[in-house]
Amino acid sequence: MRVLLVGAGGVGTAITRIAARRPFLEHMVVADHDPVRAESAVTALGEHGGRFSAVRLDASDPAGVRAALAEHRCDVLLNATDPRFVLPLFDAALARGTHYLDMAMSLSRPHPTRPYEECGVKLGDDQFARAAEWEAAGRLALVGMGVEPGLSDVFARYAADVLFDTIEEIGVRDGANLVVDGYDFAPSFSIWTTIEECLNPPVVYEADRGWFTTAPFSEPEVFDFPGGIGPVECVNVEHEEVLLVPRWLKAGRVTFKYGLGEEFIAVLRTLHKLGLDRTAPVTVHGGAGPVAVSPRDVVAACLPDPAGLGERMHGRTCAGTWVRGTKDGRPREVYLHHVVDNQWSMREYGSQAVVWQTAVNPVIALELLASGAWHGSGVLGPEALPPRPFLDLLTEYGSPWGLREDTPVPQRAAD
């Protein structure tokens, strides 16, 4: 398999380190708008870098992306950029006739008059609108194939196939006890993406109501995470799983809740009040004259690069899917989970836990596509494909998943 990887940031670099150890890969072209970053990702592989090369590429230039796919004879485009570039890369892959894989879907747009009650344009709507074209082309666009979304969706499909006869609720729950030494505030993942998903109206799905929205940080609850993390307060956040799972699986309710913490929520609220979460450029007067800058890009530039925090970071992160329903006529609750210790991921791969946990899943998906264990056409989410081969490979990669039975019902946090 020949892969064009677009984006050599923290997740993209972790992808190269994981893929370098797997024999299925014939060649991976590492592309980034910053050629130094792409070259650094390849150089860091050392003696394992023979199947990798670096190029400069503008993700917003579909013609340039198509040319790179053709020049390097790539079978698949793996998108490791932020969600702003999903559609140009998605379209370029379709136009060129290659497969496509991403970890975050096309952006949503809130309802113009009722943002906290009704959905406007939902995450992924712009991609699913072109599903028939992908199917007619006989090509696969596998969307939302990171950890969340991604592994969490695989967990949901496994629960539906094996663990339950009926499902009342599927709730993705993400929590961590990570600490970064030397920083009062240092997000472990892209602040640009974090602002987008945390300040947009969260989406909830109910079978008798369909998709609807609530206010940001709604329905707080305390969830007990495994791996020594313990109880963490989680809140509703906009996320792809809520838009993906109901397309393929039958469940009474689907939610996504993130363990942000009071301080993180307070910072996000402040950014919103000050307008620093906006993406539209504002004019700033500098020494060389007026300059148009995005406030959100300024915030991102002022914070440390999450990919470089690994040496200062301690603790574990947990991604997982909590499912409640029945099996053989009896009530059942489980939490399927994947815990990564930062000390382990730094020692084994030189990547901090959050970016490594995100990166391992698209590499597994690529291997399954290369072997034929996963196949299809159209625009598909991870829950559209058989889960067992994926979970077996995750264990083979040295990072096994877990299943906790009889998970206590999450407790609503005190007001």
Side-chain angles (χ1 to χ4, degrees):
M1 173 178 280
R2 299 181 64 86
V3 179
L4 174 64
L5 169 66
V6 184
V11 173
T13 297
I15 285 171
T16 64
R17 294 171 181 176
I18 298 165
R21 302 187 183 188
R22 304 301 298 184
F24 78 90
L25 183 71
E26 178 184 342
H27 192 81
M28 177 174 283
V29 180
V30 183
D32 198 279
H33 69 95
D34 180 353
V36 174
R37 197 158 69 162
E39 290 162 7
S40 296
V42 174
T43 301
L45 299 174
E47 62 181 13
H48 300 292
R51 293 176 293 158
F52 296 78
S53 59
V55 300
R56 184 190 181 281
L57 187 64
D58 181 355
S60 66
D61 174 18
V65 175
R66 292 196 304 271
L69 288 167
E71 178 183 353
H72 298 283
R73 299 176 288 109
C74 294
D75 306 297
V76 60
L77 188 160
L78 172 53
N79 177 3
T81 64
D82 74 54
R84 289 174 290 183
F85 302 105
V86 163
L87 287 178
L89 294 173
F90 178 82
D91 291 342
L94 176 60
R96 176 58 197 167
T98 63
H99 302 298
Y100 169 89
L101 192 154
D102 65 31
M103 292 164 275
M105 292 162 60
S106 59
L107 292 171
S108 64
R109 295 186 289 280
H111 191 280
T113 59
R114 290 168 53 83
Y116 303 133
E117 294 85 19
E118 298 182 31
C119 296
V121 175
K122 302 187 299 299
L123 290 168
D125 276 357
D126 292 334
Q127 291 174 283
F128 281 111
R130 302 197 64 182
E133 296 176 61
W134 281 87
E135 191 165 1
R139 294 293 180 266
L140 171 63
L142 180 56
V143 297
M145 192 59 253
V147 60
E148 292 171 342
L151 177 57
S152 52
D153 303 75
V154 173
F155 282 151
R157 174 64 186 268
Y158 180 76
D161 284 359
V162 177
L163 304 178
F164 290 85
D165 297 323
T166 65
I167 294 177
E168 297 172 36
E169 182 169 358
I170 294 174
V172 180
R173 299 293 184 264
D174 181 297
N177 62 0
L178 295 168
V179 176
V180 181
D181 295 337
Y183 290 97
D184 291 331
F185 184 75
S188 58
F189 201 69
S190 162
I191 189 62
W192 199 102
T193 302
T194 301
I195 289 173
E196 180 73 19
E197 63 189 23
C198 291
L199 291 177
N200 275 349
V203 181
V204 174
Y205 173 84
E206 293 180 355
D208 59 354
R209 186 175 174 182
W211 286 294
F212 61 94
T213 57
T214 70
F217 316 120
S218 59
E219 298 184 357
E221 68 181 38
V222 175
F223 192 86
D224 187 20
F225 288 92
I229 296 172
V232 178
E233 182 175 321
C234 299
V235 294
N236 277 325
V237 167
E238 181 191 49
H239 232 250
E240 285 90 343
E241 292 95 323
V242 179
L243 289 313
L244 285 170
V245 168
R247 293 177 183 270
W248 285 279
L249 305 180
K250 187 176 181 180
R253 195 168 196 260
V254 183
T255 58
F256 178 96
K257 293 190 180 183
Y258 201 179
L260 295 172
E262 292 182 7
E263 180 185 20
F264 205 116
I265 290 174
V267 170
L268 292 173
R269 289 190 190 278
T270 299
L271 292 175
H272 180 63
K273 287 180 180 179
L274 297 176
L276 295 175
D277 60 326
R278 290 181 293 172
T279 57
V282 298
T283 300
V284 177
H285 295 279
V291 179
V293 296
S294 159
R296 194 185 298 185
D297 287 343
V298 173
V299 172
C302 290
L303 291 171
D305 180 359
L309 295 175
E311 297 291 347
R312 294 174 174 262
M313 188 180 291
H314 310 280
R316 296 175 176 178
T317 184
C318 178
T321 304
W322 168 73
V323 186
R324 175 170 56 90
T326 64
K327 179 67 173 177
D328 298 327
R330 298 180 180 179
R332 189 181 198 186
E333 292 181 31
V334 303
Y335 182 57
L336 301 98
H337 55 82
H338 184 242
V339 177
V340 178
D341 183 279
N342 188 73
Q343 185 177 3
W344 175 85
S345 64
M346 287 298 297
R347 181 180 67 249
E348 293 294 321
Y349 287 90
S351 297
Q352 57 105 316
V354 177
V355 299
W356 187 90
Q357 188 183 47
T358 304
V360 68
N361 297 287
V363 180
I364 292 172
L366 288 175
E367 183 161 348
L368 292 174
L369 293 172
S371 71
W374 273 13
H375 57 86
S377 61
V379 179
L380 302 181
E383 52 277 281
L385 299 165
R388 192 76 235 189
F390 189 100
L391 296 175
D392 288 345
L393 260 187
L394 181 62
T395 299
E396 183 180 314
Y397 275 48
S399 188
W401 58 286
L403 188 154
R404 186 175 68 188
E405 284 277 3
D406 299 323
T407 305
V409 176
Q411 300 298 308
R412 184 67 60 88
D415 294 333

